[in-house]
């Protein structure tokens, strides 16, 4: 038995050495023959095409549709399937949008235009954050040329160079930040990096301080966003 085990271990070692020799020779042949760039390009193309195929299949199963991207200088009319009178400066029109994480049959679609700034107020648990996140996700998907959770009747989004989403914050002990400090850090990043070609969503500013101070801060931030012509 000992002799058989020794022969088996030796045979495995020889097989491993032969496999390493063959693979090393193959690798050098690929490099010396100039095939490596083609293999890398093929792998990248395969990744892109497989991702697009999976996205198309998933979107078709979920009932998602494509939207139209337009620039500020484009004519906005019924060619895009938009409502009459929509301004060219509008950030976009969403028809039948619903939360991307929900099935279409379990949600209520919404139709609206994004023209200027909106201050959304409603009772707790009424869907404000849901609508905001749904719109942000749909705008990002449409700007990327992908399908989004919108109806096929015609949705269009202006071409944005950045999309900023700011949600509710909490204390960050690891960074020595209170909830208010985290809020102000997010606001600072917003005002520093966003401009007139940005689509911005801000949720629950002022939670980390008193109602009076929070309202004043929110008003000042909204005024500054309006001055910068953010959407």
């Amino acid at each position: 038995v000992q002799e058989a085990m020794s022969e088996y271990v030796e045979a495995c070692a020889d097989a491993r050495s032969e496999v390493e020799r063959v693979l090393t020779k193959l690798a050098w042949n690929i490099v010396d023959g100039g095939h490596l760039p083609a293999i890398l390009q093929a792998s990248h193309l395969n990744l892109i095409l497989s991702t697009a195929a999976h996205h198309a299949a998933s979107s078709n199963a979920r009932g998602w549709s494509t939207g139209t991207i337009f620039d500020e200088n484009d004519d906005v009319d019924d060619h895009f399937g938009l409502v009459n009178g929509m301004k060219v400066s509008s950030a976009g029109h969403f028809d039948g949008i619903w939360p991307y994480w929900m099935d279409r049959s379990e949600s209520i679609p919404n139709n609206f235009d994004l023209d200027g700034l909106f201050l959304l107020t409603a009772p707790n648990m009424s869907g404000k954050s849901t609508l905001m996140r749904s719109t942000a996700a749909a705008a990002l998907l449409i700007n990327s040329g992908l399908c989004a959770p919108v109806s096929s009747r015609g949705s269009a989004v202006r071409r944005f160079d950045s999309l900023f989403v700011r949600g509710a914050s909490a204390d960050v002990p690891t960074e020595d930040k209170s909830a208010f400090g985290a809020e102000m850090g997010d606001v600072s990043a917003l005002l520093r990096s966003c401009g007139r070609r940005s689509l911005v969503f801000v949720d629950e500013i002022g939670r980390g301080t008193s109602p009076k101070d929070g309202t004043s801060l929110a008003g000042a931030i909204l005024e500054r966003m309006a001055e910068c012509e953010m959407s």
Side-chain angles (χ1 to χ4, degrees):
V1 174
Q2 186 67 31
E3 183 179 355
M5 288 294 296
S6 298
E7 293 178 353
Y8 174 75
V9 171
E10 184 178 355
C12 290
D14 293 341
R16 178 180 179 181
S17 299
E18 183 64 17
V19 170
E20 289 181 353
R21 186 188 67 79
V22 172
L23 292 178
T24 302
K25 182 180 179 180
L26 177 61
W28 280 113
N29 288 338
I30 291 174
V31 174
D32 294 339
H35 303 300
L36 190 58
I39 293 176
L40 289 176
Q41 291 178 2
S43 64
H44 292 163
L45 182 61
N46 176 69
L47 177 61
I48 294 172
L49 292 178
S50 61
T51 301
H54 285 302
H55 173 74
S58 177
S59 299
N60 185 54
R62 297 183 179 188
W64 291 13
S65 302
T66 56
T68 302
I69 308 173
F70 64 90
D71 293 303
E72 290 180 305
N73 297 328
D74 291 342
D75 292 331
V76 180
D77 52 23
D78 289 336
H79 173 70
F80 295 113
L82 305 181
V83 295
N84 293 328
M86 179 180 173
K87 298 179 180 179
V88 177
S89 61
S90 174
H93 168 78
F94 295 91
D95 191 293
I97 184 174
W98 72 90
Y100 63 89
W101 61 90
M102 295 179 63
D103 188 83
R104 186 174 184 178
S105 61
E106 299 176 352
S107 60
I108 299 176
N110 291 278
N111 306 327
F112 58 90
D113 294 328
L114 281 180
D115 187 10
L117 293 178
F118 289 84
L119 180 61
L120 188 61
T121 61
N124 291 332
M125 301 296 291
S126 60
K128 301 184 299 297
S129 298
T130 297
L131 180 61
M132 183 191 74
R133 288 173 172 81
S134 303
T135 307
L140 178 60
L141 288 168
I142 293 175
N143 262 264
S144 301
L146 302 174
C147 298
V150 295
S151 72
S152 59
R153 293 189 297 269
S155 296
V157 177
R158 196 175 72 199
R159 193 184 306 276
F160 295 103
D161 60 8
S162 62
L163 192 148
F164 189 98
V165 180
R166 193 269 164 195
S169 60
D171 295 339
V172 189
T174 56
E175 299 180 7
D176 295 328
K177 286 185 178 180
S178 63
F180 182 71
E183 283 184 3
M184 294 302 100
D186 293 340
V187 170
S188 175
L190 186 161
L191 299 178
R192 183 174 59 250
S193 59
C194 296
R196 64 187 306 270
R197 291 181 58 84
S198 302
L199 183 59
V200 180
F201 298 88
V202 181
D203 191 12
E204 297 187 357
I205 280 290
R207 289 187 61 187
T209 185
S210 65
K212 181 179 179 180
D213 293 340
T215 302
S216 300
L217 281 169
I221 294 168
L222 192 63
E223 290 178 2
R224 180 57 181 169
M225 290 173 63
E227 292 174 359
C228 295
E229 299 182 9
M230 299 181 191
S231 298

